[in-house]
Amino acid sequence: IPGGIEARPDSAGSVLPGSRCAVSFAGYTGSRPMNIVMFSSNYPPHPGGLEVMARNVAEGLARRHSVGVVSTAFREAPSTRVENGADVHRVRGWHGTEGWGVPYPVPVDPRLRAILRSFPRPDIVLTHGALYATTLAAVWFARRWDAPLVLVEHVGFVPYGSAALRALQTAAWRLLGDRAVGRCRAVVTYNARVESWLRERFPLGRVRFIGNGVDHGRFVPRPATEKAGLRARFGLPAEVPVALFVGRDTGKKNLASVLAIPRDGFHLAVCGSERELPPDVTNLGVLPYDRMPDLYAAVDVMIHASVGEGFPLAVQEALASGLPLAVLWDEGYRTQLSRETVAACDGLGELGGALRTLLRDDGRRAELSALGRAWAVSHWAWTSTIERYEELFSELVRGDADGTAA
């Protein structure tokens, strides 16, 4: 299916005890396609996992339903066009917080109200992130049509290192987030920590866990014979092990801790943002998403040091590619991933040792490569993710029709 939506049936495989991302669903059985309008603060080509996830959900739903997307234009002119079945409207937005490492666009396009009025009556309004300005628009739009509003909450409360950012986030949840959640018929998340936080803060039984998928055909282990050519294309050294860091330029990604690991015996490559880096680090900047499968195949290990994440698509895609990972473990990952599938670390100080062990132990890298690929194929598929959303939406629409909606 165009746009990276995995179209094959789910593969059989063992399931992590208690996991809700294990695979086999009946799929949408509604009598008619639904009209779905999605709001996302950013959308590709803006870099980030939220953006890719939003696109994959929109395009997956568009296979059987009418889907409109409202987002902001980033370093491009506002536009309206059909992308793999979804009608995507990118409106003019203010992106002034990008330089602070906090992407928080604010729509400032006078055409936004006209765009919203152009949509047919929605069966479902779907929005990403309780604190975003686009969710305020989604709340207004859902109320105008008395349509069920579904929120995907990606991160909950992020433990930023900055006290000022934490205070600002606390105020934002009280002023914006609590009110947005109060308007929702359902709240979706894909991280056990975020799910627990939401259930404690909003004990109304409306929280649903729907894990994200991965495209097993695009993100796949590649023959070792391809590595030299791929490294040359990315400007990476040919004769030394290469570790990869993927992430935006924001404090919660903990790039500073990764840069502090002595780089004797390996080379570090970094992508995900335009930033200044030490001269002995390969700075790949922002890569087009279509190049990420090649990048994963070009390196030897990936290091993931972030805190306050949902469950990063980069981790899922790297594992599907057979790339061994050293991961700063978050207990919120436990319903999506077995800890034994990665080199899991309980603190930032452990990452350097885990990375060095992987780089010098060919057998351990091969073991984690096989475990990661098998886990990805057995547990993650976009078809299953889309079916879970369809089941939820169908339930809400039926509830509206017979008067039993929560």
Side-chain angles (χ1 to χ4, degrees):
I1 302 298
I5 306 301
E6 177 61 51
R8 295 175 304 190
D10 299 318
S11 302
S14 60
V15 178
L16 179 66
S19 173
R20 284 152 293 181
C21 54
V23 312
S24 184
F25 302 98
Y28 177 66
T29 57
S31 59
R32 65 172 178 83
M34 290 181 278
N35 289 325
I36 301 166
V37 179
M38 173 191 287
F39 292 76
S40 182
S41 56
N42 284 309
Y43 200 79
H46 188 281
L50 182 155
E51 292 83 346
V52 173
M53 178 266 188
R55 180 178 64 185
N56 283 349
V57 170
E59 294 179 359
L61 290 168
R63 292 167 54 197
R64 288 189 282 260
H65 310 280
S66 172
V67 176
V69 177
V70 178
S71 188
T72 57
F74 180 68
R75 296 177 182 172
E76 60 181 336
S79 63
T80 295
R81 54 177 175 262
V82 178
E83 299 178 11
N84 293 321
D87 294 318
V88 181
H89 302 263
R90 294 180 178 86
V91 302
R92 184 173 290 105
W94 177 78
H95 291 265
T97 62
E98 287 278 341
W100 306 344
V102 182
Y104 190 89
V106 178
V108 291
D109 197 323
R111 301 178 306 121
L112 177 58
R113 186 177 291 267
I115 289 171
L116 296 181
R117 292 186 182 280
S118 72
F119 289 119
R121 182 183 185 91
D123 295 297
I124 292 289
V125 179
L126 177 65
T127 188
H128 292 268
L131 303 185
Y132 286 110
T134 43
T135 290
L136 295 179
V139 169
W140 175 87
F141 184 69
R143 287 186 66 184
R144 177 176 183 263
W145 288 107
D146 193 25
L149 177 64
V150 178
L151 166 72
V152 182
E153 182 50 44
H154 296 255
V155 296
F157 191 91
V158 179
Y160 288 112
S162 164
L165 278 178
R166 292 196 304 273
L168 182 61
Q169 187 180 195
T170 297
W173 266 105
R174 290 174 179 168
L175 181 64
L176 302 175
D178 291 354
R179 296 182 182 185
V181 172
R183 296 288 183 182
C184 293
R185 298 282 178 83
V187 180
V188 174
T189 188
Y190 48 90
N191 176 287
R193 172 185 51 79
V194 177
E195 180 187 24
S196 297
W197 183 83
L198 287 168
R199 289 189 185 281
E200 182 177 348
R201 191 176 182 94
F202 309 105
L204 299 176
R206 293 176 294 182
V207 180
R208 303 292 184 93
F209 191 102
I210 301 179
N212 290 328
V214 71
D215 184 343
H216 310 137
R218 172 180 290 184
F219 296 95
V220 62
R222 308 272 276 275
T225 53
E226 295 185 15
K227 182 165 287 189
L230 290 171
R231 286 196 176 184
R233 285 158 58 183
F234 288 106
L236 299 172
E239 302 301 328
V240 297
V242 178
L244 174 66
F245 174 93
V246 178
R248 292 183 292 105
D249 188 15
T250 181
K252 73 171 189 170
K253 302 295 184 181
N254 287 316
L255 175 58
S257 296
V258 175
L259 292 173
I261 298 171
R263 291 185 288 279
D264 49 317
F266 77 94
H267 184 80
L268 179 64
V270 175
C271 79
S273 189
E274 303 294 343
R275 54 194 148 198
E276 294 294 326
L277 292 172
D280 64 331
V281 174
T282 296
N283 187 351
L284 296 170
V286 178
L287 288 177
Y289 182 66
D290 288 344
R291 296 193 67 192
M292 293 306 294
D294 286 346
L295 181 59
Y296 292 139
V299 302
D300 297 291
V301 297
M302 179 168 141
I303 185 165
H304 175 72
S306 300
V307 296
E309 299 282 1
F311 185 57
L313 280 179
V315 168
Q316 292 182 260
E317 292 164 352
L319 289 170
S321 301
L323 184 61
L325 266 75
V327 173
L328 180 62
W329 187 254
D330 181 331
E331 274 302 300
Y333 299 164
R334 68 183 184 275
T335 48
Q336 289 267 47
L337 181 66
S338 168
R339 185 181 170 106
E340 287 68 38
T341 308
V342 296
C345 303
D346 293 315
L348 285 169
E350 299 176 18
L351 282 171
L355 177 61
R356 291 183 179 282
T357 297
L358 285 178
L359 289 171
R360 67 171 176 258
D361 190 338
D362 294 347
R364 179 62 172 155
R365 290 203 310 277
E367 177 188 19
L368 289 184
S369 174
L371 286 171
R373 173 64 182 178
W375 186 272
V377 171
S378 298
H379 293 81
W380 304 324
W382 281 114
T383 46
S384 297
T385 298
I386 299 307
E387 287 167 3
R388 289 291 301 273
Y389 276 100
E390 288 176 321
E391 289 173 354
L392 171 60
F393 295 169
S394 184
E395 174 187 326
L396 293 174
V397 170
R398 288 197 307 269
D400 267 9
D402 63 20
T404 61

